[in-house]
Amino acid sequence: MLKLSIFKWVPDIVQGYQRDLRIRWALAEAGFQYEVMPKAISELKTPDYRKLQPFGQIPAFQDGDLTLFESGAILLHLAAKPGARIDLTGSEGLSKVTEWVVAALNSIEPFVMNMYEIELFHANEPWAEMKRPQMANMLNYRLKDLEAYLGDRSTLLKTFSVADIVMADILRGVENYGYLKRYPNLQRYLKACLARQSFKDSYDAQMAVYKLNEPSEKEKQRQMAAASPKAD
Amino acid sequence: MLKLSIFKWVPDIVQGYQRDLRIRWALAEAGFQYEVMPKAISELKTPDYRKLQPFGQIPAFQDGDLTLFESGAILLHLAAKPGARIDLTGSEGLSKVTEWVVAALNSIEPFVMNMYEIELFHANEPWAEMKRPQMANMLNYRLKDLEAYLGDRSTLLKTFSVADIVMADILRGVENYGYLKRYPNLQRYLKACLARQSFKDSYDAQMAVYKLNEPSEKEKQRQMAAASPKAD
């Protein structure tokens, strides 16, 4: 059986943006059945969970005896796995789909993470106000290149692939903050990806878990405090 | 023939940290012969080069008719390529080496890129001074988890792999800025990786190209101005 570790619940402000969604989406496209393993935020820092995910993050994945973390690696594992309903490599082979999965994760997402850091967590801090124009410039620099690459394509490779899953999942956050306004190709591409039934079903499934497990206000505060990054 | 696009020359302050080094290192470990294709910084923005690398970056790679960009994707392609002198997958299969390559690129490197952004390019700006403690905290948070995972291992997987190449290449920059002082396992791991003859040879080969092609002072200024990111 395939097993996917997910959050039992996350704060409202970030709901719908946890990376197990990428894996749910690929599993739905492939038609693979799987079991979810909901984890409380406090469980992620335990030695048992660290054996699955050394950085204490979601998602972690199990395929029989194989344990895997990193959404990009899990997606590429699923793209190479026999028995899928559609070819999730994009019909150009595993090296080419790896290229675009890595491009999404290393050439686009780091700049999007910096956008979230400012807009979601530090919007009103003095350093954030000073840095915002430079952050926006770096992000636009990459979006502009991606816009040019895409042209009128509706998929990054010949056919829909796990690279589209990760790229669309990254871009929907970017769109929320208005950064796709200048890029009609990116808007059209994103809309086509998110129109797939497998995305909608996966999004609904993620949100349903959070709704089911919504804690009391007091418990919410406790979990958010426990989740803050501390290096020492 | 394998072909690797590299910089003809880069400014002194960043020399030795271009990502073609990761590919040279893997090619040397594998014992694969290759040809380098030196590019002037101005060439990277041309339509011809964008066909190889849509973001106008180094490296790009060619293996016969297959063109590839993203250092992580090229490394994974080489790990899967038959005929290598050693098994660059780390003896645990392609999914597991993909996991650690992606971890290096998406869970460690984005925080290292933010370190460079401050320490190398904006050290004295007011926002950088304000943001440094938070940047350091986020980076340490990931380094601490990696330190715990490594323990007394000398490789991320059972044996040396392309994941060690990319992780060590990232960590040597971190060490230069003093961020490994608290982490004896990371220091020992990095030292073991960088002691490999294939790293030393690849580093020397990268630096030799820059030395050979060193431009006049006036030309240096022109190239640096042309390389600045502009989104519009």
Side-chain angles (χ1 to χ4, degrees), chain B residues 42-188:
Chain B
S42 56
E43 266 180 88
L44 302 183
K45 310 302 170 192
T46 59
D48 270 1
Y49 189 73
R50 298 271 186 169
K51 280 179 201 156
L52 286 178
Q53 216 302 358
F55 300 99
Q57 295 185 302
I58 292 294
F61 188 70
Q62 290 164 269
D63 183 352
D65 289 338
L66 178 73
T67 66
L68 275 182
F69 64 93
E70 288 291 344
S71 62
I74 301 166
L75 289 174
L76 289 169
H77 174 77
L78 293 175
K81 189 176 168 71
R85 197 158 47 195
I86 65 167
D87 176 3
L88 283 173
T89 70
S91 312
E92 296 187 39
L94 199 58
S95 291
K96 288 301 282 185
V97 74
T98 302
E99 168 187 81
W100 275 105
V101 166
V102 174
L105 294 171
N106 195 254
S107 287
I108 306 287
E109 196 170 43
F111 303 98
V112 177
M113 288 161 68
N114 287 341
M115 180 200 74
Y116 279 124
E117 194 195 0
I118 287 184
E119 305 303 354
L120 201 55
F121 300 113
H122 302 281
N124 298 316
E125 289 186 33
W127 69 258
E129 287 176 39
M130 283 185 267
K131 191 176 186 298
R132 186 180 281 112
Q134 187 226 2
M135 173 279 287
N137 194 44
M138 293 300 293
L139 179 55
N140 277 311
Y141 191 56
R142 296 307 171 93
L143 294 176
K144 184 178 164 241
D145 286 345
L146 187 60
E147 173 82 1
Y149 171 79
L150 270 177
D152 59 4
R153 290 167 178 269
S154 57
T155 52
L156 290 165
L157 297 163
K158 274 189 193 155
T159 59
F160 184 81
S161 71
V162 290
D164 296 307
I165 289 177
V166 62
M167 190 67 87
D169 191 45
I170 292 168
L171 290 178
R172 69 196 181 93
V174 177
E175 186 176 46
N176 289 346
Y177 287 95
Y179 282 96
L180 296 194
K181 279 180 193 155
R182 300 193 223 171
Y183 307 114
N185 298 338
L186 291 179
Q187 287 176 37
R188 187 188 32 72

Side-chain angles (χ1 to χ4, degrees), chain A residues 19 50 57 67 69-70 77 95-96 99 105-107 117 130 134 142 144-145 182 231-232, chain B residues 19 50 57 67 69-70 77 95-96 99 105-107 117 130 134 142 144-145 182 231-232:
Chain A
R19 294 185 182 185
R50 298 272 185 169
Q57 296 183 301
T67 66
F69 63 95
E70 288 292 341
H77 174 78
S95 291
K96 288 302 281 185
E99 169 187 81
L105 295 171
N106 195 252
S107 287
E117 195 195 359
M130 283 185 267
Q134 186 226 1
R142 295 308 170 92
K144 184 177 165 243
D145 286 346
R182 300 193 223 172
D232 293 307
Chain B
R19 294 182 183 189
R50 298 271 186 169
Q57 295 185 302
T67 66
F69 64 93
E70 288 291 344
H77 174 77
S95 291
K96 288 301 282 185
E99 168 187 81
L105 294 171
N106 195 254
S107 287
E117 194 195 0
M130 283 185 267
Q134 187 226 2
R142 296 307 171 93
K144 184 178 164 241
D145 286 345
R182 300 193 223 171
D232 294 305

Side-chain angles (χ1 to χ4, degrees), chain A residues 186-228:
Chain A
L186 291 180
Q187 287 175 38
R188 188 186 34 71
Y189 166 78
L190 178 61
K191 196 173 172 184
C193 290
L194 299 188
R196 298 178 76 93
Q197 192 59 43
S198 53
F199 168 75
K200 294 176 190 180
D201 292 346
S202 305
Y203 182 86
D204 291 346
Q206 187 183 68
M207 294 298 278
V209 173
Y210 302 151
K211 177 127 181 119
L212 185 71
N213 296 304
E214 193 171 359
S216 67
E217 282 307 314
K218 192 176 166 187
E219 175 61 16
K220 283 184 185 178
Q221 295 301 324
R222 201 192 60 75
Q223 288 198 28
M224 287 173 71
S228 307

